[in-house]
Amino acid sequence: MSETFGQRLSAALDLHGALCVGIDPHAALLSAWGLDATAEGAREFGLRTVEAAAGRVGVVKPQVAFYERYGSRGFAALEDVMSAARAAGLLVIADAKRGDIGTTMEGYAHAWLEPGSPLEADAVTLSPYMGADSLRDTLSLAIHNGKGAFVLTATSNPEARPVQSAIVDDTLAVGDHEHVAARVAHDVNEANIGAPGALGPVGVVVGATVERAAFGLTDVALAGMPILAPGFGAQGAEPADLVRLFGYVAKGVVANESRSILAVGPDRLATRIDQRAALYRESSHG
């Protein structure tokens, strides 16, 4: 593959804007859409969302848990949804939050980032809390295959803050007060060294509702990395906040919205996506 994930993502953001549509078929939404809480219901939900998103945004993010709950049939449904999304020209971020060591992590990497795999995605979310170095081989595989990854760094759930904003106290710390989140960003950004384009293939997850300074995530710390930002829409952040929240690195932000879009139902979904996508484009050019 000639282009890196970072280059493809940058092109998608330039063309469509920052909005990423989450595909979250939890039971309440399935019911509201008139669908059964089954693998087939989740499949139909995902395919309808893909159809509405295609051509309107550049990125979708299926939440793996809402398919995994249905076992093998759920994974088969997820395969269909991701395949349809990629065929429609959408970049697919599999929100799987995988993280482990050794051959176990190798198995996850091949499942989500291997071309031709049934669960092939363009990028996957990863957890670094077995140590960021445990992801090194996975990130190398992603880059080799033209794929990407988003590593959990400062997530939008408040209970994560005591861990992610804690101060690192070892000989590798950068400065006197390096936070865990900043260390994660620094460590995984090493995988982007030498990558072409404005964005590397390896990014971070930074919630739109967190105070970046409390985690040491300055513009300098995040420069060159794509940023997957949950917290927009139903969680409180708005498109108009994008540049204020992310400053110099706002051009690399993938702003995920799920409930705020999906809750309108299938009949109004395409219109809602158009409306929200336009707001992000206006914000980035305002």
Side-chain angles (χ1 to χ4, degrees):
M1 191 174 295
S2 57
E3 285 187 309
T4 68
F5 171 74
Q7 289 174 307
R8 300 199 315 278
L9 178 62
S10 184
L13 295 176
D14 286 345
L15 180 61
H16 295 289
L19 180 62
C20 165
V21 177
I23 304 178
D24 294 9
H26 58 72
L29 277 174
L30 288 172
S31 177
W33 282 38
L35 298 169
D36 294 332
T38 62
E40 184 53 39
R43 177 183 181 276
E44 182 66 20
F45 183 100
L47 292 177
R48 290 186 188 181
T49 305
V50 165
E51 182 179 9
R56 294 182 167 89
V57 296
V59 189
V60 292
K61 183 177 72 65
Q63 172 48 258
V64 171
F66 292 124
Y67 289 90
E68 187 172 337
R69 65 174 295 195
Y70 300 116
S72 60
R73 291 185 178 183
F75 273 110
L78 178 61
E79 291 170 14
D80 290 345
V81 171
M82 293 200 300
S83 178
R86 298 184 71 242
L90 293 161
L91 293 178
V92 176
I93 301 172
D95 196 356
K97 298 182 178 70
R98 298 300 193 241
D100 214 307
I101 58 173
T103 54
T104 305
M105 195 63 218
E106 182 181 357
Y108 287 139
H110 284 287
W112 300 103
L113 301 172
E114 184 75 40
S117 166
L119 289 167
E120 180 183 359
D122 294 286
V124 66
T125 57
L126 300 173
S127 172
Y129 293 106
M130 300 287 277
D133 199 53
S134 66
L135 303 178
R136 186 178 302 275
D137 290 345
T138 299
L139 301 182
S140 295
L141 179 72
I143 294 169
H144 175 76
N145 289 337
K147 305 294 188 180
F150 289 90
V151 181
L152 303 179
T153 303
T155 54
S156 53
N157 57 313
E159 61 270 24
R161 178 167 175 163
V163 173
Q164 295 168 354
S165 66
I167 301 299
V168 176
D169 182 19
D170 63 17
T171 57
L172 299 177
V174 177
D176 296 330
H177 295 89
E178 185 180 29
H179 298 270
V180 168
R183 168 68 67 84
V184 169
H186 175 269
D187 287 352
V188 301
N189 202 16
E190 290 183 353
N192 289 325
I193 294 174
L199 290 179
V202 178
V204 289
V205 178
V206 178
T209 56
V210 305
E211 184 185 350
R212 284 197 291 139
F215 296 82
L217 296 173
T218 63
D219 288 354
V220 172
L222 298 176
M225 285 191 288
I227 301 165
L228 177 59
F232 284 95
Q235 294 185 54
E238 285 297 323
D241 299 324
L242 179 64
V243 174
R244 177 182 63 81
L245 292 171
F246 288 98
Y248 173 79
V249 296
K251 280 196 171 184
V253 170
V254 180
N256 183 74
E257 290 196 28
S258 299
R259 282 174 292 165
S260 55
I261 290 174
L262 303 171
V264 303
D267 294 338
R268 297 173 53 204
L269 188 60
T271 299
R272 179 66 167 173
I273 292 172
D274 273 334
Q275 292 170 342
R276 298 299 287 180
L279 291 175
Y280 285 99
R281 289 192 293 270
E282 290 171 10
S283 174
S284 62
H285 293 115

Short mmCIF file of all heavy atoms in Angstrom, two decimals, residues 59-87:
data_model
loop_
_atom_site.label_atom_id
_atom_site.label_comp_id
_atom_site.label_asym_id
_atom_site.label_seq_id
_atom_site.Cartn_x
_atom_site.Cartn_y
_atom_site.Cartn_z
N VAL A 59 -14.73 8.93 8.15
CA VAL A 59 -14.35 7.92 9.13
C VAL A 59 -15.57 7.43 9.89
O VAL A 59 -16.44 8.23 10.27
CB VAL A 59 -13.32 8.48 10.15
CG1 VAL A 59 -12.75 7.38 11.02
CG2 VAL A 59 -12.20 9.24 9.44
N VAL A 60 -15.61 6.13 10.16
CA VAL A 60 -16.59 5.56 11.08
C VAL A 60 -15.85 4.74 12.13
O VAL A 60 -14.73 4.26 11.89
CB VAL A 60 -17.64 4.68 10.37
CG1 VAL A 60 -18.54 5.53 9.48
CG2 VAL A 60 -16.99 3.55 9.58
N LYS A 61 -16.49 4.57 13.28
CA LYS A 61 -15.84 3.85 14.39
C LYS A 61 -16.83 2.85 15.01
O LYS A 61 -17.60 3.20 15.90
CB LYS A 61 -15.35 4.83 15.46
CG LYS A 61 -14.61 4.14 16.61
CD LYS A 61 -14.08 5.15 17.62
CE LYS A 61 -15.17 5.78 18.46
NZ LYS A 61 -15.87 4.79 19.34
N PRO A 62 -16.83 1.62 14.54
CA PRO A 62 -17.67 0.61 15.19
C PRO A 62 -17.15 0.28 16.59
O PRO A 62 -15.94 0.08 16.78
CB PRO A 62 -17.55 -0.62 14.28
CG PRO A 62 -16.89 -0.13 13.03
CD PRO A 62 -16.10 1.08 13.39
N GLN A 63 -18.06 0.25 17.56
CA GLN A 63 -17.71 -0.17 18.91
C GLN A 63 -17.84 -1.69 18.97
O GLN A 63 -18.92 -2.26 18.90
CB GLN A 63 -18.64 0.50 19.93
CG GLN A 63 -18.50 0.01 21.36
CD GLN A 63 -17.08 -0.07 21.84
OE1 GLN A 63 -16.50 -1.15 21.89
NE2 GLN A 63 -16.51 1.08 22.19
N VAL A 64 -16.69 -2.35 19.08
CA VAL A 64 -16.63 -3.81 18.98
C VAL A 64 -17.48 -4.50 20.04
O VAL A 64 -18.11 -5.54 19.79
CB VAL A 64 -15.16 -4.28 19.06
CG1 VAL A 64 -15.07 -5.79 19.18
CG2 VAL A 64 -14.39 -3.78 17.84
N ALA A 65 -17.54 -3.93 21.24
CA ALA A 65 -18.25 -4.58 22.35
C ALA A 65 -19.71 -4.86 22.03
O ALA A 65 -20.28 -5.87 22.46
CB ALA A 65 -18.16 -3.72 23.61
N PHE A 66 -20.34 -3.96 21.27
CA PHE A 66 -21.76 -4.11 20.98
C PHE A 66 -22.03 -5.21 19.95
O PHE A 66 -23.18 -5.60 19.75
CB PHE A 66 -22.35 -2.78 20.51
CG PHE A 66 -22.39 -1.74 21.59
CD1 PHE A 66 -21.78 -0.52 21.41
CD2 PHE A 66 -23.01 -1.99 22.81
CE1 PHE A 66 -21.79 0.45 22.42
CE2 PHE A 66 -23.03 -1.04 23.81
CZ PHE A 66 -22.43 0.18 23.61
N TYR A 67 -20.99 -5.69 19.32
CA TYR A 67 -21.09 -6.86 18.44
C TYR A 67 -20.59 -8.11 19.15
O TYR A 67 -21.17 -9.20 19.02
CB TYR A 67 -20.29 -6.62 17.15
CG TYR A 67 -20.96 -5.59 16.27
CD1 TYR A 67 -20.66 -4.24 16.39
CD2 TYR A 67 -21.90 -5.97 15.33
CE1 TYR A 67 -21.29 -3.29 15.59
CE2 TYR A 67 -22.55 -5.03 14.53
CZ TYR A 67 -22.23 -3.70 14.67
OH TYR A 67 -22.88 -2.76 13.89
N GLU A 68 -19.54 -7.97 19.92
CA GLU A 68 -18.96 -9.10 20.65
C GLU A 68 -19.97 -9.74 21.59
O GLU A 68 -19.93 -10.94 21.84
CB GLU A 68 -17.74 -8.61 21.42
CG GLU A 68 -16.93 -9.69 22.09
CD GLU A 68 -15.63 -9.17 22.67
OE1 GLU A 68 -15.13 -8.12 22.20
OE2 GLU A 68 -15.11 -9.82 23.60
N ARG A 69 -20.90 -8.94 22.11
CA ARG A 69 -21.88 -9.47 23.07
C ARG A 69 -22.72 -10.58 22.47
O ARG A 69 -23.31 -11.38 23.20
CB ARG A 69 -22.78 -8.34 23.57
CG ARG A 69 -23.67 -7.70 22.52
CD ARG A 69 -24.64 -6.69 23.11
NE ARG A 69 -25.60 -7.31 24.00
CZ ARG A 69 -26.71 -6.73 24.43
NH1 ARG A 69 -26.99 -5.49 24.05
NH2 ARG A 69 -27.52 -7.35 25.23
N TYR A 70 -22.80 -10.66 21.13
CA TYR A 70 -23.61 -11.68 20.47
C TYR A 70 -22.79 -12.89 20.02
O TYR A 70 -23.27 -13.72 19.25
CB TYR A 70 -24.36 -11.07 19.29
CG TYR A 70 -25.29 -9.95 19.69
CD1 TYR A 70 -25.07 -8.65 19.23
CD2 TYR A 70 -26.36 -10.18 20.54
CE1 TYR A 70 -25.91 -7.61 19.61
CE2 TYR A 70 -27.20 -9.14 20.93
CZ TYR A 70 -26.96 -7.86 20.46
OH TYR A 70 -27.80 -6.83 20.84
N GLY A 71 -21.55 -12.96 20.48
CA GLY A 71 -20.73 -14.12 20.17
C GLY A 71 -20.32 -14.19 18.72
O GLY A 71 -20.09 -13.17 18.06
N SER A 72 -20.20 -15.43 18.20
CA SER A 72 -19.68 -15.60 16.85
C SER A 72 -20.57 -14.91 15.81
O SER A 72 -20.06 -14.36 14.83
CB SER A 72 -19.56 -17.09 16.53
OG SER A 72 -20.81 -17.74 16.61
N ARG A 73 -21.88 -14.92 16.02
CA ARG A 73 -22.77 -14.25 15.06
C ARG A 73 -22.56 -12.73 15.11
O ARG A 73 -22.68 -12.05 14.09
CB ARG A 73 -24.22 -14.60 15.36
CG ARG A 73 -24.55 -16.05 15.06
CD ARG A 73 -26.03 -16.34 15.24
NE ARG A 73 -26.34 -17.72 14.91
CZ ARG A 73 -27.56 -18.25 14.93
NH1 ARG A 73 -28.60 -17.48 15.25
NH2 ARG A 73 -27.75 -19.51 14.61
N GLY A 74 -22.26 -12.23 16.30
CA GLY A 74 -21.97 -10.80 16.41
C GLY A 74 -20.70 -10.41 15.66
O GLY A 74 -20.66 -9.38 14.98
N PHE A 75 -19.67 -11.24 15.78
CA PHE A 75 -18.44 -10.95 15.05
C PHE A 75 -18.66 -11.06 13.55
O PHE A 75 -18.10 -10.27 12.77
CB PHE A 75 -17.31 -11.89 15.51
CG PHE A 75 -16.56 -11.39 16.69
CD1 PHE A 75 -16.66 -12.00 17.93
CD2 PHE A 75 -15.73 -10.28 16.59
CE1 PHE A 75 -15.97 -11.53 19.03
CE2 PHE A 75 -15.02 -9.79 17.69
CZ PHE A 75 -15.15 -10.42 18.91
N ALA A 76 -19.47 -12.01 13.12
CA ALA A 76 -19.79 -12.11 11.69
C ALA A 76 -20.51 -10.85 11.22
O ALA A 76 -20.26 -10.34 10.11
CB ALA A 76 -20.64 -13.35 11.43
N ALA A 77 -21.42 -10.33 12.06
CA ALA A 77 -22.12 -9.09 11.72
C ALA A 77 -21.14 -7.93 11.62
O ALA A 77 -21.21 -7.09 10.71
CB ALA A 77 -23.19 -8.79 12.76
N LEU A 78 -20.20 -7.86 12.56
CA LEU A 78 -19.19 -6.81 12.55
C LEU A 78 -18.33 -6.89 11.29
O LEU A 78 -17.99 -5.87 10.68
CB LEU A 78 -18.33 -6.90 13.80
CG LEU A 78 -17.18 -5.88 13.93
CD1 LEU A 78 -17.71 -4.46 13.94
CD2 LEU A 78 -16.36 -6.17 15.18
N GLU A 79 -17.95 -8.10 10.90
CA GLU A 79 -17.18 -8.27 9.68
C GLU A 79 -17.92 -7.68 8.49
O GLU A 79 -17.33 -6.98 7.65
CB GLU A 79 -16.91 -9.76 9.44
CG GLU A 79 -15.95 -10.39 10.43
CD GLU A 79 -15.90 -11.91 10.31
OE1 GLU A 79 -16.40 -12.44 9.29
OE2 GLU A 79 -15.38 -12.56 11.22
N ASP A 80 -19.22 -7.94 8.41
CA ASP A 80 -20.03 -7.41 7.30
C ASP A 80 -20.07 -5.88 7.33
O ASP A 80 -19.97 -5.22 6.29
CB ASP A 80 -21.45 -7.97 7.36
CG ASP A 80 -21.52 -9.44 7.01
OD1 ASP A 80 -20.55 -9.98 6.45
OD2 ASP A 80 -22.56 -10.07 7.31
N VAL A 81 -20.24 -5.33 8.51
CA VAL A 81 -20.35 -3.87 8.65
C VAL A 81 -19.02 -3.20 8.27
O VAL A 81 -19.00 -2.22 7.50
CB VAL A 81 -20.76 -3.49 10.08
CG1 VAL A 81 -20.66 -1.98 10.30
CG2 VAL A 81 -22.19 -3.97 10.36
N MET A 82 -17.91 -3.72 8.77
CA MET A 82 -16.62 -3.11 8.46
C MET A 82 -16.27 -3.28 6.99
O MET A 82 -15.72 -2.37 6.37
CB MET A 82 -15.53 -3.69 9.37
CG MET A 82 -15.70 -3.32 10.84
SD MET A 82 -14.19 -3.50 11.81
CE MET A 82 -13.86 -5.24 11.60
N SER A 83 -16.57 -4.44 6.43
CA SER A 83 -16.31 -4.66 5.01
C SER A 83 -17.11 -3.69 4.15
O SER A 83 -16.60 -3.12 3.19
CB SER A 83 -16.65 -6.11 4.65
OG SER A 83 -16.46 -6.34 3.27
N ALA A 84 -18.39 -3.50 4.49
CA ALA A 84 -19.23 -2.57 3.74
C ALA A 84 -18.71 -1.14 3.85
O ALA A 84 -18.71 -0.39 2.87
CB ALA A 84 -20.67 -2.64 4.24
N ALA A 85 -18.24 -0.77 5.04
CA ALA A 85 -17.73 0.59 5.25
C ALA A 85 -16.47 0.83 4.42
O ALA A 85 -16.34 1.88 3.76
CB ALA A 85 -17.45 0.82 6.73
N ARG A 86 -15.57 -0.12 4.43
CA ARG A 86 -14.33 0.05 3.67
C ARG A 86 -14.62 0.05 2.17
O ARG A 86 -14.01 0.80 1.41
CB ARG A 86 -13.32 -1.03 4.06
CG ARG A 86 -12.92 -0.95 5.55
CD ARG A 86 -11.85 -1.95 5.95
NE ARG A 86 -10.58 -1.58 5.37
CZ ARG A 86 -9.90 -2.33 4.51
NH1 ARG A 86 -10.39 -3.49 4.12
NH2 ARG A 86 -8.75 -1.93 4.05
N ALA A 87 -15.58 -0.78 1.74
CA ALA A 87 -15.96 -0.80 0.33
C ALA A 87 -16.58 0.53 -0.10
O ALA A 87 -16.49 0.92 -1.27
CB ALA A 87 -16.94 -1.95 0.07
#
